[in-house]
Amino acid sequence: MRVTTQSTAIALALASLAVAAPSCKSVCDDDGLRRTAVAFEERSSDLRAAGFATLWQACPSMPLGLARSLAAEFDPAHELEGDALERHHAERSEDPQWRTLLHRTCPGVTHDPFDLADPGALRDACTLERHALLRADDVFVPRDATALVLYDWLLSVRVPLPLAQDVVRPLLAVSATAEELEAMCWSESVACEHVVASWGLSLPDSSLGRSLPGEGPRILVARDRLTLLTLQGAPVLSLHDGRLASADRIGRAIPLLRERLTPLVPPESDTELERPDASIVLVADRATPFGTLVEVLFTATKAGFPSASLFVRRDHALRSLAVVAPETWLPPTNVVHDRASEFRLVVRHDGVSTVGPTTDPRTIPNLEPCDPSPRGCHDLQAVASVAAGYAKQHPRELGLSLGVEDELPLQAVLAILDAVNRGYGCEGPTAPPGCEYLFIRLDGAPQLYEHSDRVGTLVLGDARVERWASRVVSSETERTALAAYAPAREAIGRCMTDRPDVIGRWPDTGTLRVQYLQPSRGKGPMSGHLWLLANDHGTEIERCVLDSLGVEPDEGTSFRDFLERLRFELVIPTRFEPPP
């Protein structure tokens, strides 16, 4: 298919066409129409183009508006796409001759068939039962209306009914192959209900879908009723109730999927994970456990695709919801800045919690009693109210970071997103300016980090003592600290490896620092302070490390006090060794 305007060639080919006047004899050549029907049946682009050339010759009096529409929507030699096709539809809606023909075929269509997003409404508007070409459950797409206009016109100029049916039936979507229907769905967002049903999927509903699906590798999650994950139509791994086997994952990553995705990364984004064109297209059943989605998104990010277009249904049409990787999944050099003001929620099976510095921490319990439908039992009205409060305080920071428990179904997560969208006021034509910058980050609960796919062994090296600002420290004190480290080395390693949030962020080679401070009153044993990823004072991991060394946590009250009493640091180098 190629994008073009109505070329000089088609204009010349159709120049002789005029509105046909009723007569007792067909104004079309029946033999030419038979050759047209045979060409259309072959499904070949070249033969279809030849069939249209034969059709123009067989029916020289075809109305110009009808001929142009057929060429724009069906003829491979002149078929239009994208903006060019939209312009054609807008222009023909102003053509009185086309409107007359369309009204005769589809009396209920007042503008253009492509303006009706609901296939059922279009089917009713065209009163299909009188055409004897389609059954009630047959697929029907907007461009089929143009083929039916041709059918009505052929009958009006005395073409025999069987011959008119032979010409038109191959043009209808019901005659398309599975591959052709899938191509229509990807490129035009039509026939998608039938295509998705053939995949064994039920798409989630959402008010957030904005545009047609973008470009990128296509991943179908939980295809064939939650049993299969595919990439570009090829099976990758089997699923059990929508989840991957533990043997198919390393941490939260899927090695086989990453292996197959990596060669598909656009060349220009090999080293720029933030590029928007490095994106996947994600299609998932509404009942897919969210943990599977997170593992697919995390794997895609590791392969070089930090964003995704997620398929949703909106107003009976296929749309996509753009999501981006959390910054904790990316290497530090790829993080633009920390959006401290983003709205952050953690969604669990029993409620929704707000986290982060921008909202007061609170938990919104589930509705009771509640039948846990695919949309979940969360109090969506309360979620929307909290989101509205955030939007009032941060009108130009309308982002959302969502951490979700593994077992929640995708539809329940989208219900939360829709509630936040309502709270933001981003529905409808009067959406505030901040909605233009709306971004959505999806994460697990607990959240994932850059190295959540790491395997291997954390090795702690020989420690050394570094004095702080030339402070005087006795050799005996230094020896005591080093002597305490030797038997504690293994226990300190466990303190780190037992914490996925630490290991997920820890570099391949790093440095652990234990800071020793003089007692506040000048007497007694030294106290300790841990500097790991940042200031880890008072954390569980600090207590674990200091307990292993036999050191009490410091109880200093101010940063100035801390600096005055700091004497030296026990510096412990670390590295990860991959498995043999």
Side-chain angles (χ1 to χ4, degrees), residues 144-164:
D144 283 347
T146 301
L148 294 181
V149 170
L150 170 63
Y151 178 67
D152 270 349
W153 181 80
L154 290 174
L155 295 180
S156 75
V157 295
R158 305 296 189 268
V159 172
L161 177 65
L163 182 54

Side-chain angles (χ1 to χ4, degrees), residues 306-329:
S307 61
S309 296
L310 176 66
F311 270 29
V312 297
R313 279 197 330 167
R314 182 185 180 190
D315 299 330
H316 306 283
L318 179 70
R319 292 293 181 264
S320 68
L321 173 63
V323 298
V324 294
E327 292 181 342
T328 56
W329 294 9

Side-chain angles (χ1 to χ4, degrees), residues 14-32:
L14 302 177
S16 64
L17 304 183
V19 178
S23 65
C24 295
K25 182 179 179 182
S26 169
V27 299
C28 293
D29 173 50
D30 288 358
D31 287 340

Side-chain angles (χ1 to χ4, degrees), residues 166-490:
D166 289 344
V167 170
V168 172
R169 188 176 286 111
L171 299 179
L172 297 172
V174 71
S175 299
T177 65
E179 291 77 13
E180 289 170 337
L181 282 177
E182 189 166 331
M184 289 183 202
C185 178
W186 290 118
S187 63
E188 305 171 39
S189 187
V190 298
C192 293
E193 292 287 342
H194 289 260
V195 171
V196 169
S198 74
W199 291 336
L201 287 171
S202 178
L203 287 181
D205 295 301
S206 176
S207 64
L208 273 167
R210 289 290 184 268
S211 58
L212 292 174
E215 295 295 324
R218 298 162 185 165
I219 301 176
L220 270 62
V221 183
R223 182 173 175 168
D224 296 339
R225 295 172 178 80
L226 307 182
T227 64
L228 188 64
L229 186 149
T230 69
L231 171 63
Q232 302 292 70
V236 178
L237 290 167
S238 297
L239 305 172
H240 178 68
D241 291 334
R243 295 307 310 269
L244 288 154
S246 57
D248 294 326
R249 294 181 281 113
I250 294 180
R252 301 307 300 271
I254 311 167
L256 183 58
L257 178 61
R258 180 176 181 177
E259 177 185 320
R260 297 187 182 181
L261 270 175
T262 300
L264 305 179
V265 178
E268 61 271 20
S269 61
D270 280 343
T271 58
E272 300 179 37
L273 294 183
E274 288 280 303
R275 290 182 63 91
D277 56 345
S279 178
I280 60 170
V281 176
L282 192 58
V283 187
D285 189 276
R286 65 201 309 253
T288 303
F290 194 76
T292 303
L293 264 310
V294 164
E295 288 160 0
V296 169
L297 290 169
F298 180 71
T299 302
T301 299
K302 300 295 290 184
F305 295 94
S307 61
S309 296
L310 176 66
F311 270 29
V312 297
R313 279 197 330 167
R314 182 185 180 190
D315 299 330
H316 306 283
L318 179 70
R319 292 293 181 264
S320 68
L321 173 63
V323 298
V324 294
E327 292 181 342
T328 56
W329 294 9
L330 301 171
T333 54
N334 292 98
V335 175
V336 178
H337 66 280
D338 181 22
R339 293 181 175 87
S341 62
E342 72 183 11
F343 188 45
R344 301 178 184 180
L345 296 176
V346 175
V347 184
R348 297 185 172 88
H349 68 282
D350 56 353
V352 180
S353 301
T354 61
V355 295
T358 58
T359 54
D360 295 330
R362 59 173 294 189
T363 297
I364 303 171
N366 282 0
L367 297 172
E368 292 184 1
C370 173
D371 178 18
S373 67
R375 295 178 64 83
C377 292
H378 300 106
D379 189 341
L380 301 179
Q381 184 174 348
V383 171
S385 177
V386 173
Y390 170 84
K392 186 175 180 179
Q393 296 178 356
H394 306 277
R396 296 193 178 275
E397 293 286 345
L398 296 184
L400 174 62
S401 179
L402 210 62
V404 184
E405 275 187 344
D406 283 354
E407 299 309 316
L408 278 173
L410 174 59
Q411 185 63 72
V413 178
L414 288 172
I416 296 290
L417 291 175
D418 287 348
V420 172
N421 195 49
R422 288 194 301 274
Y424 283 174
C426 289
E427 290 184 329
T430 59
C435 297
E436 299 173 7
Y437 308 102
L438 181 66
F439 65 90
I440 297 171
R441 300 183 188 277
L442 298 180
D443 202 346
Q447 68 186 115
L448 279 63
Y449 296 94
E450 178 193 358
H451 298 299
S452 290
D453 61 336
R454 177 155 34 209
V455 292
T457 305
L458 176 66
V459 178
L460 274 61
D462 294 334
R464 67 180 187 276
V465 169
E466 288 186 1
R467 297 182 182 182
W468 180 259
S470 301
R471 301 283 168 85
V472 176
V473 180
S474 70
S475 299
E476 181 181 353
T477 301
E478 292 182 353
R479 286 196 297 270
T480 300
L482 291 171
Y485 168 67
R489 182 186 301 200
E490 184 176 337

Side-chain angles (χ1 to χ4, degrees), residues 542-553:
E542 181 188 59
R543 289 192 296 272
C544 183
V545 171
L546 295 182
D547 284 350
S548 302
L549 290 168
V551 178
E552 289 293 325

